[in-house]
Amino acid sequence: MGKTVIDVNNNIPFNNNVDYCVGTGRLGLALTAEYLEQLKLVQKEIGFKNIRGHGLFCDDVAIYQEYEEDGITKVEYNYTYIDRIFDSYLELGIRPFLELGFMPEKMASGTQTIFYWKGNTTPPKDYKLWTDMVIALLKHLRSRYGEEVLDWNIEVWNEPNLPGFWYKADMEEYFRLFKETFTAIKAYDERFQVGGPAICGVNDEEWIQKFLEFCKAEGIKPDSVTRHHYTVEFPERIGHYDYSKLEEPVARLANLQSTRDIVESFDEFKGLPIHITEFSTSYTPKGVIHDTNLNAAYLAGQLSHLGDMNTSYSYWTFGDVFEEQGVPFTPFHGGFGMVANGCIPKPTFYTFAFFKQLKEFGTDCIFRDDTAVIVKSDKGFAGILWNIDTDDFTRTFTFPVSGEYTLITKTVDEDTCNPLKIWHDMGEPPYLTKAQTELLRDCAKPLFGSDVISAENGKADISLTAKRNGVVYFELTPRTFTPDRGYDYDKVLSFH
């Protein structure tokens, strides 16, 4: 590739909201040690603001309880586990994004369940039982955690357009659920932020359009529109694993833009936040692509554009403690997480870490195309370069600067950070020993590099190589040279 001249006066819109939210397996898993170890690692290295998962009202969390007294069925609530879960989140600096679901078995109108852990996905037999439970929980959370709970996002259900997640994918029944829930929450305190319809894939444009038509007709203004975003074709299942082909990034982003266009077509809803409350490549927890460097590079391209039409976008999920289709057999099983079991970061972990570092470095974007994004601040320049499944390439960027600069690079590619390959070369052990786990953690790190860049004639060139399925983060900052008396670096290196 030729040189790319950077105009430092450019002002390119770039909503880098990489750290807004991350997904999790069902909330009950937060009671386990491995889950919290993975979340602690993610929060230390990336630091997400919110976390969203299924199962808030499922029976393993045990909020909804019934008992009989004098021949009458009565209701009580148990917050022992949810307090323990949310306390753990807040201690790690992350707040719940409340997905309201699934249905407590004793409240459910039917027996349909989903997943290994049998979340009930039927409407309530009595909507007042449902709304009373929701409001009671909000009151409890507010009394325990204070007024900050008013800032926690609320989403009504999960993927009601799919029959497995909502009985018969009944649109009218979901609209009733949304209206009853929204109305009850707003009657309690209108400051709570309530969104929906949390749809995924199937008939997404129809569902968004009719959802907003329903809200308009009912005089409801949701605080956000929510949907999901996955980017693979239907998978081929072999044994325990799903193999999927990636879809073209442009087509998938166009699908997201269609949601924004529908929202903007309603005068009542123009500018409403759109939260992508789940996104990834594969939509299956056995999607082998999740463990690869290709996943990391592809998602770099997604992260550079998802903020164009969405307020936020939540990666599904932070870790591989996840049991939708059963307990995993191996540490690399295609799980959704950016961290494999054993607290082993996958390459995708660093894509998110790099975009978070970019956000912390600066928010003034001066360059963005299909393989790179660059920002500036008073500290200098920072950027990310990625290569989605093509031959190695080198890009040279020319900056209009003078003096000396320090170039720091962090590289993740198939040669420098590929724990999946090391595990394969080790013989694919299904149950890692302590030594094997330590080895895989040690190899799952970026390669650091540095150089001194001297500007000539008011400009400086930096050349970055992105290998196949690679992601490179860089910082270019002014260099102040302050050697101690008598210290000669060149002489040190040449001394014999």
Side-chain angles (χ1 to χ4, degrees):
M1 293 186 177
K3 292 184 179 180
T4 301
V5 178
I6 301 300
D7 183 351
V8 298
N9 295 315
N10 276 345
N11 183 11
I12 298 172
F14 176 42
N15 175 33
N16 181 7
N17 214 359
V18 63
D19 59 343
Y20 185 83
C21 190
V22 72
T24 171
R26 75 178 191 275
L27 297 185
L29 294 171
L31 299 169
T32 65
E34 171 77 8
Y35 176 105
L36 292 175
E37 288 172 6
Q38 292 182 20
L39 184 57
K40 183 177 180 180
L41 173 65
V42 167
Q43 286 303 93
K44 178 183 176 182
E45 299 296 330
I46 303 173
F48 290 96
K49 298 173 183 174
N50 302 285
I51 186 167
R52 173 192 173 273
H54 308 321
L56 174 62
F57 294 128
C58 287
D59 293 330
D60 65 328
V61 179
I63 290 176
Y64 183 78
Q65 303 289 324
E66 290 182 354
Y67 66 98
E68 281 199 15
E69 187 174 84
D70 299 328
I72 300 173
T73 300
K74 297 185 177 182
V75 171
E76 61 186 353
Y77 307 112
N78 185 336
Y79 301 119
T80 300
Y81 277 177
I82 201 64
D83 286 351
R84 191 179 303 172
I85 293 165
F86 286 0
D87 285 355
S88 297
Y89 287 164
L90 293 170
E91 286 170 7
L92 292 172
I94 196 165
R95 304 185 306 177
F97 190 125
L98 298 172
E99 175 206 302
L100 304 183
F102 295 122
M103 199 60 58
E105 181 180 356
K106 292 180 180 178
M107 190 189 293
S109 60
T111 59
Q112 174 178 290
T113 63
I114 195 167
F115 301 143
Y116 165 84
W117 41 274
K118 299 187 183 303
N120 189 289
T121 54
T122 67
K125 60 187 178 184
D126 181 332
Y127 272 90
K128 190 172 189 308
L129 286 176
W130 167 263
T131 55
D132 284 352
M133 177 181 64
V134 170
I135 301 307
L137 175 63
L138 294 180
K139 288 180 177 178
H140 170 76
L141 295 176
R142 200 167 172 183
S143 69
R144 185 174 182 85
Y145 303 115
E147 294 303 279
E148 80 150 277
V149 174
L150 290 166
D151 296 326
W152 295 4
N153 288 286
I154 298 173
E155 182 179 40
V156 181
W157 210 255
N158 176 77
E159 299 183 356
N161 62 318
L162 303 182
F165 283 101
W166 183 244
Y167 185 61
K168 296 183 178 180
D170 188 327
M171 184 184 291
E172 290 187 5
E173 192 69 30
Y174 172 74
F175 290 170
R176 181 185 178 190
L177 178 78
F178 184 85
K179 178 183 176 182
E180 297 277 357
T181 308
F182 182 92
T183 302
I185 293 173
K186 292 295 185 175
Y188 166 51
D189 194 316
E190 63 182 9
R191 291 174 292 177
F192 278 104
Q193 302 292 295
V194 185
I199 53 94
C200 182
V202 178
N203 300 326
D204 56 289
E205 292 187 13
E206 177 187 5
W207 267 77
I208 296 293
Q209 179 74 32
K210 290 188 175 180
F211 173 71
L212 293 177
E213 289 174 356
F214 171 81
C215 289
K216 178 179 178 179
E218 296 291 330
I220 293 172
K221 185 174 183 180
D223 295 294
S224 64
V225 171
T226 66
R227 61 159 293 175
H228 298 166
H229 173 62
Y230 292 95
T231 60
V232 293
E233 297 176 359
F234 190 79
E236 174 189 13
R237 177 155 293 181
I238 304 175
H240 294 145
Y241 303 96
D242 291 334
Y243 298 81
S244 304
K245 181 180 178 181
L246 283 167
E247 296 181 317
E248 286 298 320
V250 172
R252 295 310 307 152
L253 293 170
N255 175 254
L256 294 180
Q257 183 61 47
S258 71
T259 297
R260 171 51 68 192
D261 292 342
I262 292 170
V263 173
E264 296 305 305
S265 71
F266 289 82
D267 291 337
E268 298 85 354
F269 307 129
K270 284 181 182 293
L272 269 186
I274 299 176
H275 293 299
I276 305 298
T277 52
E278 290 182 25
F279 87 95
S280 185
T281 47
S282 175
Y283 50 80
T284 159
K286 300 180 178 182
V288 292
I289 191 174
H290 292 140
D291 300 337
T292 66
N293 290 85
L294 171 58
N295 200 72
Y298 185 94
L299 287 173
Q302 291 287 297
L303 289 175
S304 72
H305 288 289
L306 285 176
D308 291 352
M309 66 291 288
N310 305 296
T311 299
S312 75
Y313 31 93
S314 177
Y315 187 65
W316 190 255
T317 59
F318 79 84
D320 271 356
V321 179
F322 192 94
E323 298 176 355
E324 284 185 356
Q325 296 183 22
V327 179
F329 282 82
T330 65
F332 293 98
H333 57 273
F336 282 117
M338 60 180 73
V339 179
N341 290 334
C343 264
I344 303 163
K346 303 179 189 179
T348 296
F349 176 93
Y350 293 104
T351 297
F352 282 82
F354 290 167
F355 272 85
K356 178 61 180 285
Q357 291 164 25
L358 190 71
K359 180 177 181 177
E360 291 179 337
F361 189 93
T363 56
D364 294 333
C365 183
I366 56 175
F367 180 82
R368 184 169 58 138
D369 66 7
D370 290 339
T371 64
V373 59
I374 299 173
V375 302
K376 71 173 182 180
S377 73
D378 55 6
K379 294 173 285 189
F381 308 94
I384 300 174
L385 179 70
W386 58 90
N387 177 0
I388 305 175
D389 206 26
T390 63
D391 293 336
D392 301 356
F393 64 76
T394 299
R395 291 196 68 171
T396 300
F397 298 100
T398 300
F399 292 86
V401 296
S402 59
E404 283 190 339
Y405 279 72
T406 299
L407 175 66
I408 300 293
T409 59
K410 304 175 187 179
T411 300
V412 169
D413 58 33
E414 293 180 342
D415 296 326
T416 64
C417 178
N418 190 351
L420 177 65
K421 181 181 184 300
I422 303 294
W423 175 71
H424 168 73
D425 292 346
M426 290 165 59
E428 300 184 9
Y431 310 110
L432 299 176
T433 65
K434 183 177 180 180
Q436 289 171 328
T437 301
E438 293 288 347
L439 173 63
L440 288 167
R441 288 176 185 166
D442 287 343
C443 78
K445 296 178 180 178
L447 175 67
F448 281 67
S450 66
D451 201 357
V452 176
I453 307 295
S454 297
E456 297 181 3
N457 300 319
K459 59 184 180 180
D461 291 343
I462 66 165
S463 294
L464 304 170
T465 298
K467 294 184 178 180
R468 180 176 178 270
N469 299 330
V471 184
V472 182
Y473 175 84
F474 76 89
E475 291 183 2
L476 186 68
T477 56
R479 179 175 185 254
T480 301
F481 188 50
T482 55
D484 191 23
R485 180 168 61 88
Y487 190 84
D488 187 327
Y489 179 74
D490 292 334
K491 189 175 182 66
V492 170
L493 297 185
S494 63
F495 187 76
H496 297 285

